[in-house]
Amino acid sequence: MSPLLKTVLRFGLIILALLILFQLTNASLFIPSISADFVIGIAAIILIALGVYLGKAVRKEKVVEVKPSSVIDEERILSLGISPRELEVLQLISEGLSNQEIGEKLFVSESTIKTHISNLFVKLDVKRRTQAVIRANEWRIIP
Amino acid sequence: MSPLLKTVLRFGLIILALLILFQLTNASLFIPSISADFVIGIAAIILIALGVYLGKAVRKEKVVEVKPSSVIDEERILSLGISPRELEVLQLISEGLSNQEIGEKLFVSESTIKTHISNLFVKLDVKRRTQAVIRANEWRIIP
DNA sequence: TGTATTTTGGTACTAAAGTATGAATAGGTT
DNA sequence: AACCTATTCATACTTTAGTACCAAAATACA
């Protein structure tokens, strides 16, 4: 079932329940055998439960749409002067590839990769590729 | 304010509000100038809002206590036959240290670290330290 | 068109990382 | 005591990684 249809259905049911509840309350007030306080108490409990359910449903959908967690910090990439190609290399380092493997994947020589990496290390202020991966995750410059 | 005191205070206020609401409803039913339906409607809205608030408050505390996210998979560590010392080395690799730095931190020679790492690579089925870090995070064997 | 940046690649090193093998020691188990 | 595992370390090597320096294209830009 689509989320929209689900929501519409849910709210329809809730409104229906409310109407029935109101009619019941009105009717019961004129039947002496049942205490008015009792009916009102039951109605209050049902309404509070309805509120809890409603809040839960709304929040559940909110969590789903407020999900974007791994957002890349483009500004920092620019401020560090990291080029697109360097970023690509950094990404592959973080996936555990060797310099030779990165070169093959990008169709360039290993020398080129080494150059990119050396430049990256300066920009990231690190000495090793393991540290580069840690930094890249710290400043959110890789996914 | 302590969490317990906060909760007690909160529920006290809620009960008080309910009592007032009930009295109000009862009283209003005998005042002809205000429609009973209107009073009931207002009461219903307040009660639903109360339910939403209540649900939110309860869930908030639940989230706090269901916090433990990064749990180490001890079973897998045992099944892979990874020793405590090897695990320690793996942890330091994941922090970006070199073999020499790890040796200094653990007061052993670099040779020893290399031995540990070689054994680790076999157990983790990887070829490089960057891959080892990835694996260690995949199987939750480091924090 | 000229200039700046990016991308590419080479050479020549130095430094780490990783492998293979063997071996000594300490601690716990049977 | 004999046995096993974890830990330690060394030597000798091979392979990657990383640095320094230079330089040619390609691309972007004004």
Side-chain angles (χ1 to χ4, degrees), chain A residues 89-123:
Chain A
V89 172
L90 183 57
Q91 167 68 35
L92 293 175
I93 289 177
S94 77
E95 290 174 12
L97 300 197
S98 69
N99 293 343
Q100 192 186 332
E101 287 168 341
I102 295 173
E104 286 168 4
K105 184 154 274 186
L106 299 182
F107 302 106
V108 295
S109 77
E110 195 192 333
S111 293
T112 306
I113 301 303
K114 283 187 177 184
T115 306
H116 287 320
I117 290 181
S118 273
N119 293 332
L120 268 172
F121 287 178
V122 173
K123 291 169 183 176

Side-chain angles (χ1 to χ4, degrees), chain B residues 6-65:
Chain B
K6 213 170 174 179
T7 304
V8 169
L9 209 77
R10 186 147 55 195
F11 277 78
L13 281 174
I14 287 168
I15 290 170
L16 193 66
L18 276 179
L19 286 175
I20 293 174
L21 206 61
F22 277 31
Q23 285 310 107
L24 194 72
T25 310
N26 269 342
S28 302
L29 287 176
F30 303 102
I31 303 172
S33 63
I34 311 172
S35 161
D37 279 340
F38 180 71
V39 174
I40 291 174
I42 295 292
I45 289 171
I46 293 175
L47 286 172
I48 289 176
L50 200 68
V52 172
Y53 171 70
L54 252 171
K56 201 190 224 167
V58 169
R59 204 162 307 111
K60 202 181 269 171
E61 282 160 30
K62 204 181 260 171
V63 166
V64 168
E65 61 181 344

Side-chain angles (χ1 to χ4, degrees), chain B residues 100-120:
Chain B
Q100 193 186 331
E101 288 168 340
I102 295 173
E104 286 169 4
K105 183 155 275 185
L106 299 182
F107 302 108
V108 294
S109 77
E110 196 192 333
S111 294
T112 306
I113 301 303
K114 284 187 177 183
T115 305
H116 287 321
I117 290 181
S118 274
N119 293 330
L120 267 173

